[in-house]
Amino acid sequence: MPTSTLALAPVTPLVAAPTGDEGTAPVLRYHRCGWCGSATGRAALLCPICGSSELEEQASTGTGIVHRLLTPRHRQYTDGETICLVVMEEGFTVQASLDDALPGTVPEGTRVRLASPAPHTHLPVFRAA
Ligand SMILES: [Zn+2]
């Protein structure tokens, strides 16, 4: 592991330092209902389908399909961010920011994967898989 990039960094202990893996893989968490089995991406106390409180937090595989682009194409340049809905493999939907190098190049139906968080958005970031 090259350490030259750390030369100018302040000497503070890193609590969550990467442990030699390919960086720290981003994880998207969701809730799976123990009663009806439906999945929800929201932080919920009760299942939105059946109202059960037996929600179990699970980690998503991080892959899904772009279901709908919420930022109109003509505004993708000006807004600097493409918001979309992603239907995850587990069956829940999340609002996400699309990491498209050129706006409009990731159409609806594209298979996407969770990417590292970006500073310009609070949404989970996805890019074409
Ligand atoms: Zn349920």
Side-chain angles (χ1 to χ4, degrees):
M1 290 286 286
T3 55
S4 57
T5 53
L6 295 174
L8 295 175
V11 187
T12 44
L14 290 172
V15 178
T19 54
D21 295 321
E22 305 283 317
T24 44
V27 175
L28 188 66
R29 302 200 170 275
Y30 69 102
H31 289 95
R32 173 80 68 187
C33 176
W35 271 92
C36 69
S38 64
T40 177
R42 299 217 179 106
L45 293 176
L46 299 175
C47 171
I49 305 299
C50 73
S52 165
S53 61
E54 288 190 27
L55 296 180
E56 190 184 332
E57 189 178 274
Q58 298 188 351
S60 166
T61 58
T63 55
I65 303 271
V66 175
H67 177 58
R68 214 168 126 211
L69 297 174
L70 300 180
T71 305
R73 186 155 295 180
H74 67 274
R75 275 182 47 202
Q76 288 179 5
Y77 289 97
T78 51
D79 288 9
E81 183 182 13
T82 305
I83 309 293
C84 67
L85 290 178
V86 175
V87 178
M88 302 303 296
E89 222 162 55
E90 290 82 6
F92 66 96
T93 305
V94 287
Q95 190 169 330
S97 179
L98 208 51
D99 181 7
D100 45 355
L102 287 170
T105 55
V106 183
E108 293 169 0
T110 302
R111 190 164 183 79
V112 288
R113 175 171 297 153
L114 187 65
S116 299
H120 68 275
T121 179
H122 65 281
L123 295 171
V125 177
F126 283 82
R127 73 168 55 113

